[in-house]
Structure formats: C-alpha cells, structure tokens
Amino acid sequence: MLLLTVILFLFGLPLLIGGVWLISLGGSWYYTLAGATLIVIAVLLKSRRAFAQILYALLLVATAVWAYWEAGFDWWPLASRLGVLLVLAIPLLFPVAGQRHGAATLALAWVVVGLFTVASIPYDAHRIEGELNAESVISNPRLGEVPEGDWLSYGRSNLGQRYSPVDQITPDNVANLEQAWEYQTGDRKGPDDVTETTYQATPLKVGNTLYLCTPHNWLVALDADDGTERWVYDAKVPPESQRQHQTCRGVSYLPPAEGLTDLLSVEDAQGPAEDLQSVACDAQLFLPTSDARLLALDPATGARCSHFADNGELDLMHNMPYRQDGYYYSTSPPVVANGVVVVAGSVNDNYDINSPSGVIRAYDAKTGKLVWNWDPANPDQTQPIAAEDTYSTSSPNSWSIASADEELGMVYFPMGNRTPDQLGMYRTPEEETYASSVVALSLETGEVQWVQQFVHHDLWDMDTPAQPSLVDIETRNGVQPGLVVPTKQGDVYVLNRETGDALIPITEQEAPQGTIEGDYAAPTQPVSALNFRPPPLKASDMWGATAIDQMICRIKFRSLRYEGQYTPPSEQGTIVYPGNFGVFNWGGVAVDPERQVMFGMPLYMAFTSRLVPKTQEDLGPTNTGEQGLNENAGAEYAVELQPLMSPMGIPCQRPPWGYVAGADLRTGDIAWKHKNGTVEDMAPIPLPLKLGVPGIGGPVITKGGVVFLAATVDNYIRAYNLTNGEELWRARLPAGGQATPMTYLNSKGEQMVVQVAGGHGSIGTTIGDYVVAYKLK
C-alpha cells in the first residue's frame, strides 16, 4: 500500500501544479481538482482510512462524467482519460483496515465506469456509412491514349486519373491475391542522407517492361512478368546536405514515332546502362534528378539519347538568378505531351528569400531546345529567355505532378508558394495571383489560359500538392470537361478544365486577421462545397496516453495562437490545422470516370508555426529540413515548424488521424468515410490497433471496383471496395509503402498490382528498397 500511496502522490502532484498553470491560461479546472484529490487520497491511504476508497470512487465517477461531456461515447478519448485511473484502482478494491464499505463502493464505481468505457470500443463516432453509385454513368469515358494493360504516365495517362480499365480483380476475388515477385534495387537511405530521403516512385509499364526511379535517381528497368532486372542507369547524383528532399516520384515516357518499334529490343538489354554509349533514341524516358538535371534515356538499353540537349543531359539551372547547391531540383516526373517535355521544380522552403526561380519550362522532346518558359513573377513573357537574362527570384514553384489535355492543348500545374511561406511581404502582385492555385497553360506557347486560386496570400505553406485529375463530368448542363484538384486544407475543387469555372460551388468565408507588422492576412478564403475540412480544434480534442500528457497538450493549445483555420503565423506560435502535411498531399485522389466518383485518403494532423525574430544571438541549428527552424536568410524572421505532439511523441489531438473516403463528383456528396490504418509499426508493442493513422501516398482505382492503397505508417498495402470503402484484403510489406501503387497486365494477360516499399525518412517508416508485385492465385 505504501508503493500505491507514493504512486498516487507522484501522479497527483504534476496534475495539481500543471492544472494551476492551465487554469491561468483559461483552461479546464479538472486537472487541478483531480491532482488535489489524488494527493488527498494518498494521504488518507497512508493513514489507512477507508474513506480513501470512497473518495477514489467519487473521482472515478466524476472523471467518467467529465470525459463523456468532453469527448462523447468515443473509445480513445475515454480510455485516455479513464484508463490509468481504472488501473490504479485495482489495488484499492480490497478492504482497508478491515472496513468493507469503502472497497464495495469503489468496486461498484470501478465496474460501472469500466463497463461504460469498454462498451465504447465497437462504436465508431467518426464513421460515415454509405455507398457510392455502383453503375456506369458515362460509357466509354476518356482514359487517355494508353493500351488497356499498360501504365504510360505517373497517373497512368496524362489525365492523372489513377484509374485502370483492367477488371480481373474484383471485390469477390481480391482475397486471393498473393505475392508474385519481389525485387530490391540496392538504393537505400544512407547515414549522410537528408532526413527527407523517401521512396515515392510509381513505376511505368510499357510493353512488357516496368520503369521506375529510386531516391538517388537510378532508373531501373524490370521484366513485367517476373521482376527480373533488365538494366539500371545511375545518374550519379552527388550528395548535398542542403536539399530538403532526396526522392524521385517517377519518370516520363515519350512513345516511339508511329510505325517504329525500337522497344522490342529491350528484352535483350542487360548490364549497367551507364556503361553504354549514347544512342539515337526513338522512344525516350525522361529522368529528373535531385541535382537539377533532366536526362533522356533509351528505353531499350538505358543509354543516353544523343540527340537530346547535351548528349542526353539538360542542365535545369540555366538562367537561374541564384544557383545555391541543393536549393532547386525536380522530384516529380515532367509532362510529355504534344511534342514537348514540360518541366517544373521544387525550391527549398524557408531557407533563403533569394532562391532559384519557380519557372516552368517546355523543351522540344526530341532535341531539348527551349520552346517556352512561364515564370509566375513575369507571366506574360513566355518566349524563350535570352542566354544573358535570368528568371525571377524565388517565384512560386510547382513541385508536384502536372496533368495535360492534349486535345485542348493545355497543361495543368498545381502551384506552390513563393519562399518564404510564412512571410508575405516579399511577394509581387503577379506572384500573389498564381501562388497556391492551379494554372492552365497553353502547351504550344506557355501562355496562361486560366487560373483558380485556393488560398489567398498563403501564410501557411498550403501549396497545391497533388496532380489534377482530368475526368469528364455529367452535370445539369450536360457532360463537361472536369478537373479535380485536392488540397492540403481539405477542399476538393471540381472545375471545368477548359474555362476554370467551378462545377461544384466555391464560396468565400471570413478568415482570422492579425499579422506581424508589414504583412497582412486575406479577409476571406475560398471553400469548395466538396471538402474534407475538419471542425476547428478545441481544448477537449487534446489527447495523450495519460492525464499528464493530455494536460501538457492543453497547456500547449492554450499557449499558442489559434482562432481556427488560417490563423496567421505569429511570434507567439500559431496552431496550423489542418497542418502543412495536408489533408491531401502529393498522392492526391483517384477518380473513376465511368462511375463519376473519387477515392481519397484525408489526413488530420495539427502543426505549429512560430516566427522567430532575428537578433545578434545565434539561432542554433537551422535548415535541416522542412520541419525545425529554417533561417529565411535575408528576412527579419526565421520560422520554426513542428507537428503538435505530446511529450510521449504522439499527436496532441485525439485520433483518428487518417481515413479513406469516397465522394460523388457530380453532387459533391461524401458517401462514406472510414478510419484507416493501425499503430502496429508506430507503438513500442506492435499491436494492430486501428486508430486511423497518417500516411503519404495515393490510391489506384480499377474497373473491377477495387481500390489499392498503401501509404499509411504501418507497413501494409490494402484493397478496398470502392462502393462502400470496406477493407477487403491486405498484405504485409517489407518496408514502408509511401508510394502510389499501379496495376497492369503481364504478357500472359494476368492483372498485376505493384507497390514500391522503401519507407519515408521524416515520418519514420521502415526504410527499404523493395518493389513488390501481386497477382491472383
């Protein structure tokens, strides 16, 4: 009993002290009262008084009432508030000093509160039940010029649908999937690599060959039947500590000229491709590198294409105003359409206000000659820049994947912000127009056709992160050319891709005000009628494994500035929710053009943003990645970005943190939404508890009505029923699956599903170098 007395005292004391602090911030009185009560109980136990049990019973019942009032009938918030108290009550269930009434009272309270808590386990307070339309709305929809069994672009075609017309795998037989083969590239995260070293590639499938890149920009060709290596090209990217990202999401493909079939020789190619001499290519693969080059390679042999740029190599740093090593690179595959290869790039966030340009450039796909350039800070001058001129400094960039409609002659770019993200006083009116938007450019000239902005005067790093999906949509006015764009803030915009007009309504809502001197916040922000925005955070949403870390999270919540979504950054520190990790990120959504529906993976993680005034004092370590303290060289403020976490390293906000969801693109209605993923690979004890976890990656829909998705922080690939969202199958991956899968037909006509599994450096999933393929038994 002495040990229990000490435990209760040590548990109650920080609750009392921290609770007083929380009250001073305007927070809940519960923690002070609970801490004081536990200390009194400890004193009573030392005197072996039965009233200690009665008082503990009252505390238990009062806590249950308070927990239900704050969190409702929701297991995880209830368990975190009541779990420790229920465990600590067990030694007290026996009589003290021979007095049974105290033990009986506590036993009754313990049973009632315990049953109440356990009864909440099967109840999912966050689940939306429903079904998507299961019938085809549009027959023979536009899928892009791709053979049925192939996958020729990042999203299968330049339409970016992530939809395959292959239908062998269905909800009825998907449980029969088994691993067909596994391949390891040999390219793994090294000890000197930057934190954000990630394996995010989606392979292409051309003929009977898969093509994929690795984090250090190797290009690998595999036999699509059995995963046998055909050739590997190593771009020999030098290490660079100033890169924020070391990754490659994919490569791009230029088909051979009509009537030519130089891909037939690929089956005979073996050995390291970099040992081969350059060749005159017909078909071409384009590999962007993290040291700002674009390489053109022969699909058959992996040799460089001698006729493209400088013997197959194009230096993307040409005409840049600043050329800091590691500050500019391409992590996403370029768009190949209408005879041009259109390249954008990523500019490091918040390192330096004088950084390379975010210019988007189109080159002749065969020669590498510059055809046009579109610089968001100088949007009207799209003619090729003169050799002696430079692009604009730090203009908004497009780091994610673009789409194209070759019939309309337009290419669609999701736009980021000008660096620095949290300081708006450096931006020009032109940059303000195109930042955090989607912009449609002419494939022929690069001229702007239309722009739709998703965040005005973005101070939160709410770049448009995902590839637009092009799908013709049935409306009251007939079928219209649609464009679906998911955003970090949770909106899914459905636009007419020819005009930019909204097909699902967009409104403007008032936004919080108040910024540092010299800046301003936009008075309103756009909202799509189709959105997955979470409700504003409340103090009662703060969560933890025990009452102590819950209380600390509440203290953080009350100490930071938060007036809802779009609360401006501050010296005090601001909660950004949803955070800049996004409700949606580069994995985007998948759309079914026949059924007119979408599948997405919305996430909910709060971040904090703190502006740090620069003084003569040393700021300490800076520029170690997107998170942490970034210098903003040349600005008056550095910025510190972090996820809002408890002392135990788990999110301060209560779960779920991750879902899968389905929506109707015609109406904007969300049909179903289910929590997704377990903590099996996050927790000290590998229990597959389905909390609904974060992830990064994207889904793929098949005509068979099955969706494939990995992405979560547990190492699984899963299959879902598109109609109702139910999980149908899952398979254990050898490493984190933070990449978007793809599907194709092999040479035998069998449907294959392929997932890259290599992990993600900054979210801590298992690192590897795997490519895993599945097919039906």
Side-chain angles (χ1 to χ4, degrees), residues 635-690:
E636 295 182 4
Y637 292 87
V639 62
E640 184 177 40
L641 303 172
Q642 299 286 356
L644 182 60
M645 305 290 273
S646 80
M648 297 186 68
I650 58 177
C652 268
Q653 71 201 76
R654 70 183 186 179
W657 306 300
Y659 296 82
V660 288
D664 191 313
L665 294 172
R666 297 171 297 166
T667 64
D669 295 331
I670 298 172
W672 53 261
K673 183 179 176 186
H674 306 161
K675 61 186 178 183
N676 184 51
T678 73
V679 295
E680 180 174 349
D681 296 300
M682 295 175 64
I685 302 175
L687 297 176
L689 301 175
K690 191 174 182 178

Short mmCIF file of all heavy atoms in Angstrom, two decimals, residues 635-690:
data_model
loop_
_atom_site.label_atom_id
_atom_site.label_comp_id
_atom_site.label_asym_id
_atom_site.label_seq_id
_atom_site.Cartn_x
_atom_site.Cartn_y
_atom_site.Cartn_z
N ALA A 635 15.64 37.67 -44.49
CA ALA A 635 14.38 38.13 -43.89
C ALA A 635 14.61 38.51 -42.43
O ALA A 635 15.63 38.15 -41.83
CB ALA A 635 13.31 37.06 -44.00
N GLU A 636 13.64 39.20 -41.85
CA GLU A 636 13.75 39.60 -40.45
C GLU A 636 13.35 38.49 -39.50
O GLU A 636 13.61 38.59 -38.29
CB GLU A 636 12.88 40.84 -40.19
CG GLU A 636 13.34 42.08 -40.93
CD GLU A 636 12.47 43.28 -40.61
OE1 GLU A 636 11.58 43.16 -39.76
OE2 GLU A 636 12.70 44.35 -41.20
N TYR A 637 12.72 37.46 -40.02
CA TYR A 637 12.25 36.37 -39.17
C TYR A 637 12.70 35.02 -39.73
O TYR A 637 12.64 34.78 -40.93
CB TYR A 637 10.72 36.34 -39.10
CG TYR A 637 10.10 37.51 -38.39
CD1 TYR A 637 9.81 38.69 -39.06
CD2 TYR A 637 9.79 37.43 -37.02
CE1 TYR A 637 9.22 39.76 -38.41
CE2 TYR A 637 9.21 38.50 -36.36
CZ TYR A 637 8.93 39.66 -37.06
OH TYR A 637 8.35 40.72 -36.40
N ALA A 638 13.14 34.15 -38.84
CA ALA A 638 13.23 32.74 -39.15
C ALA A 638 11.86 32.13 -38.83
O ALA A 638 10.99 32.78 -38.24
CB ALA A 638 14.33 32.08 -38.32
N VAL A 639 11.67 30.88 -39.20
CA VAL A 639 10.40 30.22 -38.90
C VAL A 639 10.67 28.82 -38.38
O VAL A 639 11.54 28.10 -38.87
CB VAL A 639 9.48 30.17 -40.14
CG1 VAL A 639 10.11 29.35 -41.26
CG2 VAL A 639 8.10 29.62 -39.79
N GLU A 640 9.93 28.46 -37.33
CA GLU A 640 10.04 27.13 -36.74
C GLU A 640 8.73 26.40 -36.96
O GLU A 640 7.66 26.87 -36.56
CB GLU A 640 10.33 27.23 -35.24
CG GLU A 640 10.56 25.88 -34.59
CD GLU A 640 10.90 26.01 -33.12
OE1 GLU A 640 10.30 26.87 -32.44
OE2 GLU A 640 11.77 25.26 -32.65
N LEU A 641 8.81 25.24 -37.60
CA LEU A 641 7.63 24.44 -37.93
C LEU A 641 7.77 23.07 -37.27
O LEU A 641 8.81 22.42 -37.40
CB LEU A 641 7.51 24.26 -39.45
CG LEU A 641 7.43 25.54 -40.27
CD1 LEU A 641 7.51 25.22 -41.76
CD2 LEU A 641 6.14 26.30 -39.98
N GLN A 642 6.71 22.64 -36.56
CA GLN A 642 6.73 21.35 -35.90
C GLN A 642 5.31 20.78 -35.86
O GLN A 642 4.34 21.53 -35.82
CB GLN A 642 7.22 21.49 -34.43
CG GLN A 642 8.61 22.03 -34.26
CD GLN A 642 9.68 21.01 -34.61
OE1 GLN A 642 9.39 19.87 -34.93
NE2 GLN A 642 10.94 21.44 -34.57
N PRO A 643 5.18 19.46 -35.86
CA PRO A 643 3.87 18.88 -35.56
C PRO A 643 3.53 19.12 -34.09
O PRO A 643 4.43 19.23 -33.25
CB PRO A 643 4.06 17.39 -35.86
CG PRO A 643 5.53 17.16 -35.74
CD PRO A 643 6.20 18.44 -36.14
N LEU A 644 2.25 19.24 -33.80
CA LEU A 644 1.79 19.46 -32.42
C LEU A 644 1.76 18.10 -31.72
O LEU A 644 0.84 17.31 -31.91
CB LEU A 644 0.41 20.11 -32.42
CG LEU A 644 -0.20 20.45 -31.06
CD1 LEU A 644 0.68 21.43 -30.29
CD2 LEU A 644 -1.61 20.99 -31.21
N MET A 645 2.80 17.83 -30.92
CA MET A 645 2.98 16.50 -30.34
C MET A 645 3.01 16.56 -28.82
O MET A 645 3.39 17.56 -28.22
CB MET A 645 4.30 15.89 -30.83
CG MET A 645 4.43 15.82 -32.34
SD MET A 645 3.34 14.63 -33.11
CE MET A 645 4.32 13.15 -33.00
N SER A 646 2.63 15.44 -28.20
CA SER A 646 2.69 15.31 -26.75
C SER A 646 4.12 14.97 -26.33
O SER A 646 4.95 14.62 -27.18
CB SER A 646 1.75 14.21 -26.28
OG SER A 646 2.34 12.93 -26.48
N PRO A 647 4.43 15.02 -25.02
CA PRO A 647 5.78 14.65 -24.57
C PRO A 647 6.13 13.21 -24.91
O PRO A 647 7.30 12.86 -24.95
CB PRO A 647 5.70 14.85 -23.05
CG PRO A 647 4.60 15.83 -22.84
CD PRO A 647 3.60 15.56 -23.91
N MET A 648 5.13 12.37 -25.16
CA MET A 648 5.40 10.97 -25.50
C MET A 648 5.59 10.77 -26.99
O MET A 648 5.71 9.63 -27.47
CB MET A 648 4.27 10.09 -24.98
CG MET A 648 4.14 10.11 -23.47
SD MET A 648 2.92 8.93 -22.85
CE MET A 648 3.73 7.38 -23.21
N GLY A 649 5.58 11.86 -27.77
CA GLY A 649 5.84 11.77 -29.19
C GLY A 649 4.67 11.31 -30.02
O GLY A 649 4.85 10.82 -31.13
N ILE A 650 3.45 11.48 -29.52
CA ILE A 650 2.25 11.17 -30.28
C ILE A 650 1.47 12.46 -30.49
O ILE A 650 1.63 13.43 -29.74
CB ILE A 650 1.38 10.11 -29.58
CG1 ILE A 650 0.97 10.58 -28.19
CG2 ILE A 650 2.11 8.78 -29.50
CD1 ILE A 650 0.06 9.61 -27.48
N PRO A 651 0.63 12.51 -31.52
CA PRO A 651 -0.10 13.76 -31.78
C PRO A 651 -0.91 14.22 -30.57
O PRO A 651 -1.52 13.40 -29.87
CB PRO A 651 -1.00 13.40 -32.95
CG PRO A 651 -0.29 12.28 -33.64
CD PRO A 651 0.36 11.49 -32.56
N CYS A 652 -0.91 15.52 -30.34
CA CYS A 652 -1.69 16.06 -29.23
C CYS A 652 -3.19 15.93 -29.47
O CYS A 652 -3.96 15.88 -28.51
CB CYS A 652 -1.33 17.53 -29.00
SG CYS A 652 0.00 17.80 -27.81
N GLN A 653 -3.60 15.93 -30.71
CA GLN A 653 -5.04 15.83 -30.98
C GLN A 653 -5.46 14.38 -30.96
O GLN A 653 -4.68 13.47 -31.26
CB GLN A 653 -5.36 16.44 -32.34
CG GLN A 653 -4.85 15.60 -33.50
CD GLN A 653 -4.68 16.34 -34.77
OE1 GLN A 653 -3.74 17.10 -34.94
NE2 GLN A 653 -5.59 16.12 -35.68
N ARG A 654 -6.69 14.15 -30.59
CA ARG A 654 -7.16 12.78 -30.46
C ARG A 654 -7.30 12.11 -31.83
O ARG A 654 -7.53 12.77 -32.83
CB ARG A 654 -8.49 12.75 -29.72
CG ARG A 654 -9.67 13.31 -30.49
CD ARG A 654 -10.91 13.29 -29.61
NE ARG A 654 -12.11 13.69 -30.35
CZ ARG A 654 -13.33 13.73 -29.81
NH1 ARG A 654 -13.48 13.43 -28.53
NH2 ARG A 654 -14.37 14.09 -30.52
N PRO A 655 -7.15 10.79 -31.87
CA PRO A 655 -7.38 10.07 -33.13
C PRO A 655 -8.88 10.01 -33.43
O PRO A 655 -9.69 10.31 -32.55
CB PRO A 655 -6.82 8.68 -32.82
CG PRO A 655 -6.93 8.53 -31.34
CD PRO A 655 -6.77 9.91 -30.77
N PRO A 656 -9.22 9.65 -34.69
CA PRO A 656 -8.37 9.20 -35.80
C PRO A 656 -7.61 10.36 -36.44
O PRO A 656 -8.08 11.49 -36.46
CB PRO A 656 -9.36 8.59 -36.79
CG PRO A 656 -10.65 8.40 -36.04
CD PRO A 656 -10.66 9.46 -35.01
N TRP A 657 -6.45 9.99 -37.04
CA TRP A 657 -5.66 10.96 -37.79
C TRP A 657 -5.69 10.68 -39.29
O TRP A 657 -5.23 11.52 -40.07
CB TRP A 657 -4.21 10.91 -37.31
CG TRP A 657 -4.09 11.09 -35.83
CD1 TRP A 657 -4.49 12.17 -35.10
CD2 TRP A 657 -3.53 10.16 -34.90
NE1 TRP A 657 -4.23 11.96 -33.76
CE2 TRP A 657 -3.64 10.73 -33.61
CE3 TRP A 657 -2.96 8.89 -35.02
CZ2 TRP A 657 -3.19 10.08 -32.45
CZ3 TRP A 657 -2.52 8.24 -33.88
CH2 TRP A 657 -2.63 8.83 -32.61
N GLY A 658 -6.21 9.52 -39.67
CA GLY A 658 -6.23 9.18 -41.09
C GLY A 658 -7.46 8.36 -41.46
O GLY A 658 -7.91 7.51 -40.68
N TYR A 659 -7.98 8.63 -42.65
CA TYR A 659 -9.19 7.98 -43.14
C TYR A 659 -9.02 7.57 -44.60
O TYR A 659 -8.10 8.01 -45.29
CB TYR A 659 -10.38 8.96 -43.10
CG TYR A 659 -10.80 9.45 -41.75
CD1 TYR A 659 -10.14 10.51 -41.12
CD2 TYR A 659 -11.88 8.88 -41.09
CE1 TYR A 659 -10.54 10.98 -39.89
CE2 TYR A 659 -12.29 9.35 -39.86
CZ TYR A 659 -11.63 10.40 -39.25
OH TYR A 659 -12.04 10.87 -38.02
N VAL A 660 -9.97 6.78 -45.08
CA VAL A 660 -10.24 6.66 -46.51
C VAL A 660 -11.67 7.14 -46.70
O VAL A 660 -12.51 7.03 -45.80
CB VAL A 660 -10.08 5.22 -47.02
CG1 VAL A 660 -8.61 4.85 -47.07
CG2 VAL A 660 -10.86 4.21 -46.18
N ALA A 661 -11.94 7.71 -47.88
CA ALA A 661 -13.26 8.31 -48.10
C ALA A 661 -13.63 8.24 -49.57
O ALA A 661 -12.76 8.23 -50.45
CB ALA A 661 -13.27 9.76 -47.63
N GLY A 662 -14.92 8.19 -49.83
CA GLY A 662 -15.43 8.18 -51.20
C GLY A 662 -16.45 9.29 -51.38
O GLY A 662 -17.26 9.56 -50.49
N ALA A 663 -16.43 9.95 -52.55
CA ALA A 663 -17.34 11.07 -52.82
C ALA A 663 -17.84 11.00 -54.25
O ALA A 663 -17.16 10.49 -55.15
CB ALA A 663 -16.64 12.40 -52.56
N ASP A 664 -19.02 11.55 -54.45
CA ASP A 664 -19.65 11.66 -55.77
C ASP A 664 -19.22 12.97 -56.41
O ASP A 664 -19.44 14.05 -55.85
CB ASP A 664 -21.17 11.60 -55.63
CG ASP A 664 -21.89 11.43 -56.96
OD1 ASP A 664 -21.53 12.16 -57.91
OD2 ASP A 664 -22.81 10.61 -57.04
N LEU A 665 -18.60 12.91 -57.58
CA LEU A 665 -18.08 14.12 -58.23
C LEU A 665 -19.18 14.93 -58.91
O LEU A 665 -18.97 16.09 -59.26
CB LEU A 665 -17.02 13.74 -59.27
CG LEU A 665 -15.74 13.13 -58.69
CD1 LEU A 665 -14.85 12.62 -59.81
CD2 LEU A 665 -15.00 14.14 -57.83
N ARG A 666 -20.34 14.36 -59.08
CA ARG A 666 -21.44 15.11 -59.69
C ARG A 666 -22.14 15.99 -58.67
O ARG A 666 -22.53 17.12 -58.97
CB ARG A 666 -22.45 14.16 -60.33
CG ARG A 666 -21.89 13.32 -61.48
CD ARG A 666 -22.87 12.25 -61.90
NE ARG A 666 -23.13 11.31 -60.82
CZ ARG A 666 -24.12 10.44 -60.79
NH1 ARG A 666 -24.98 10.39 -61.79
NH2 ARG A 666 -24.27 9.60 -59.77
N THR A 667 -22.29 15.48 -57.45
CA THR A 667 -23.06 16.20 -56.43
C THR A 667 -22.19 16.84 -55.37
O THR A 667 -22.63 17.75 -54.67
CB THR A 667 -24.02 15.23 -55.74
OG1 THR A 667 -23.26 14.23 -55.04
CG2 THR A 667 -24.94 14.56 -56.75
N GLY A 668 -20.96 16.33 -55.20
CA GLY A 668 -20.11 16.81 -54.12
C GLY A 668 -20.41 16.15 -52.79
O GLY A 668 -19.87 16.55 -51.76
N ASP A 669 -21.24 15.11 -52.77
CA ASP A 669 -21.59 14.43 -51.52
C ASP A 669 -20.53 13.42 -51.14
O ASP A 669 -20.04 12.65 -51.98
CB ASP A 669 -22.93 13.71 -51.67
CG ASP A 669 -24.10 14.67 -51.89
OD1 ASP A 669 -24.01 15.81 -51.41
OD2 ASP A 669 -25.08 14.27 -52.53
N ILE A 670 -20.17 13.40 -49.85
CA ILE A 670 -19.28 12.38 -49.31
C ILE A 670 -20.14 11.19 -48.91
O ILE A 670 -20.98 11.29 -48.02
CB ILE A 670 -18.48 12.92 -48.11
CG1 ILE A 670 -17.59 14.09 -48.56
CG2 ILE A 670 -17.64 11.82 -47.47
CD1 ILE A 670 -16.92 14.83 -47.42
N ALA A 671 -19.94 10.06 -49.58
CA ALA A 671 -20.80 8.90 -49.36
C ALA A 671 -20.38 8.10 -48.14
O ALA A 671 -21.24 7.61 -47.39
CB ALA A 671 -20.80 8.00 -50.60
N TRP A 672 -19.08 7.94 -47.94
CA TRP A 672 -18.59 7.17 -46.80
C TRP A 672 -17.20 7.67 -46.42
O TRP A 672 -16.48 8.27 -47.23
CB TRP A 672 -18.57 5.67 -47.10
CG TRP A 672 -17.83 5.27 -48.36
CD1 TRP A 672 -18.37 5.00 -49.58
CD2 TRP A 672 -16.41 5.11 -48.50
NE1 TRP A 672 -17.39 4.70 -50.48
CE2 TRP A 672 -16.18 4.75 -49.86
CE3 TRP A 672 -15.33 5.24 -47.64
CZ2 TRP A 672 -14.90 4.51 -50.35
CZ3 TRP A 672 -14.05 5.01 -48.13
CH2 TRP A 672 -13.84 4.65 -49.46
N LYS A 673 -16.85 7.42 -45.15
CA LYS A 673 -15.56 7.85 -44.62
C LYS A 673 -15.23 6.95 -43.43
O LYS A 673 -15.98 6.90 -42.46
CB LYS A 673 -15.61 9.32 -44.20
CG LYS A 673 -14.29 9.89 -43.71
CD LYS A 673 -14.49 11.37 -43.35
CE LYS A 673 -13.25 11.99 -42.76
NZ LYS A 673 -13.51 13.38 -42.31
N HIS A 674 -14.10 6.22 -43.53
CA HIS A 674 -13.73 5.24 -42.51
C HIS A 674 -12.30 5.49 -42.06
O HIS A 674 -11.43 5.80 -42.88
CB HIS A 674 -13.80 3.81 -43.06
CG HIS A 674 -15.11 3.46 -43.68
ND1 HIS A 674 -15.25 2.40 -44.56
CD2 HIS A 674 -16.34 4.00 -43.56
CE1 HIS A 674 -16.50 2.31 -44.95
NE2 HIS A 674 -17.19 3.27 -44.36
N LYS A 675 -12.04 5.30 -40.75
CA LYS A 675 -10.66 5.42 -40.29
C LYS A 675 -9.82 4.31 -40.91
O LYS A 675 -10.31 3.21 -41.20
CB LYS A 675 -10.59 5.41 -38.78
CG LYS A 675 -11.10 4.17 -38.08
CD LYS A 675 -11.08 4.38 -36.58
CE LYS A 675 -11.64 3.16 -35.84
NZ LYS A 675 -11.70 3.40 -34.38
N ASN A 676 -8.52 4.60 -41.08
CA ASN A 676 -7.67 3.75 -41.90
C ASN A 676 -6.31 3.56 -41.25
O ASN A 676 -5.66 4.52 -40.86
CB ASN A 676 -7.48 4.41 -43.28
CG ASN A 676 -6.70 3.53 -44.24
OD1 ASN A 676 -7.02 2.37 -44.42
ND2 ASN A 676 -5.67 4.10 -44.85
N GLY A 677 -5.87 2.32 -41.15
CA GLY A 677 -4.51 2.03 -40.70
C GLY A 677 -4.41 1.81 -39.20
O GLY A 677 -5.25 2.25 -38.41
N THR A 678 -3.32 1.15 -38.82
CA THR A 678 -3.09 0.78 -37.42
C THR A 678 -1.78 1.38 -36.91
O THR A 678 -0.97 1.89 -37.68
CB THR A 678 -3.01 -0.75 -37.28
OG1 THR A 678 -1.76 -1.21 -37.84
CG2 THR A 678 -4.17 -1.44 -38.00
N VAL A 679 -1.57 1.22 -35.59
CA VAL A 679 -0.33 1.70 -34.97
C VAL A 679 0.68 0.58 -34.81
O VAL A 679 1.64 0.70 -34.05
CB VAL A 679 -0.62 2.35 -33.59
CG1 VAL A 679 -1.46 3.59 -33.76
CG2 VAL A 679 -1.31 1.35 -32.65
N GLU A 680 0.51 -0.49 -35.56
CA GLU A 680 1.37 -1.67 -35.39
C GLU A 680 2.84 -1.34 -35.50
O GLU A 680 3.67 -1.88 -34.77
CB GLU A 680 0.99 -2.72 -36.44
CG GLU A 680 1.83 -3.98 -36.37
CD GLU A 680 1.34 -5.07 -37.31
OE1 GLU A 680 0.23 -4.93 -37.86
OE2 GLU A 680 2.08 -6.06 -37.49
N ASP A 681 3.21 -0.44 -36.42
CA ASP A 681 4.62 -0.12 -36.63
C ASP A 681 5.02 1.22 -36.02
O ASP A 681 6.12 1.72 -36.27
CB ASP A 681 4.93 -0.12 -38.13
CG ASP A 681 4.75 -1.50 -38.74
OD1 ASP A 681 5.44 -2.43 -38.30
OD2 ASP A 681 3.90 -1.65 -39.64
N MET A 682 4.14 1.78 -35.19
CA MET A 682 4.45 3.03 -34.50
C MET A 682 4.66 2.83 -33.01
O MET A 682 5.43 3.55 -32.38
CB MET A 682 3.30 4.04 -34.69
CG MET A 682 3.08 4.52 -36.10
SD MET A 682 1.62 5.58 -36.21
CE MET A 682 2.09 6.98 -35.19
N ALA A 683 3.95 1.86 -32.43
CA ALA A 683 3.92 1.69 -30.98
C ALA A 683 5.07 0.80 -30.50
O ALA A 683 5.58 -0.03 -31.26
CB ALA A 683 2.58 1.08 -30.57
N PRO A 684 5.49 0.96 -29.23
CA PRO A 684 6.55 0.10 -28.68
C PRO A 684 6.17 -1.37 -28.72
O PRO A 684 7.00 -2.24 -28.93
CB PRO A 684 6.69 0.60 -27.24
CG PRO A 684 6.13 1.98 -27.25
CD PRO A 684 5.06 2.00 -28.29
N ILE A 685 4.87 -1.67 -28.50
CA ILE A 685 4.36 -3.03 -28.61
C ILE A 685 3.58 -3.10 -29.92
O ILE A 685 2.63 -2.32 -30.12
CB ILE A 685 3.45 -3.38 -27.42
CG1 ILE A 685 4.23 -3.23 -26.11
CG2 ILE A 685 2.90 -4.80 -27.58
CD1 ILE A 685 3.38 -3.43 -24.88
N PRO A 686 3.95 -3.99 -30.85
CA PRO A 686 3.34 -3.98 -32.19
C PRO A 686 1.91 -4.54 -32.21
O PRO A 686 1.65 -5.62 -32.73
CB PRO A 686 4.30 -4.85 -33.00
CG PRO A 686 4.89 -5.79 -31.99
CD PRO A 686 5.01 -5.01 -30.71
N LEU A 687 1.00 -3.79 -31.64
CA LEU A 687 -0.41 -4.19 -31.64
C LEU A 687 -1.12 -3.53 -32.81
O LEU A 687 -1.00 -2.32 -33.00
CB LEU A 687 -1.08 -3.77 -30.33
CG LEU A 687 -0.53 -4.41 -29.05
CD1 LEU A 687 -1.22 -3.82 -27.83
CD2 LEU A 687 -0.70 -5.93 -29.08
N PRO A 688 -1.88 -4.28 -33.61
CA PRO A 688 -2.54 -3.70 -34.77
C PRO A 688 -3.83 -2.97 -34.41
O PRO A 688 -4.93 -3.29 -34.89
CB PRO A 688 -2.81 -4.94 -35.64
CG PRO A 688 -2.98 -6.06 -34.67
CD PRO A 688 -2.04 -5.75 -33.53
N LEU A 689 -3.71 -1.96 -33.54
CA LEU A 689 -4.89 -1.20 -33.12
C LEU A 689 -5.26 -0.21 -34.22
O LEU A 689 -4.45 0.60 -34.66
CB LEU A 689 -4.58 -0.45 -31.82
CG LEU A 689 -4.17 -1.32 -30.64
CD1 LEU A 689 -3.78 -0.45 -29.45
CD2 LEU A 689 -5.29 -2.29 -30.25
N LYS A 690 -6.51 -0.27 -34.65
CA LYS A 690 -6.95 0.56 -35.78
C LYS A 690 -7.40 1.93 -35.27
O LYS A 690 -8.58 2.19 -35.09
CB LYS A 690 -8.08 -0.15 -36.54
CG LYS A 690 -8.40 0.50 -37.87
CD LYS A 690 -9.40 -0.31 -38.66
CE LYS A 690 -9.69 0.33 -40.02
NZ LYS A 690 -10.64 -0.48 -40.82
#
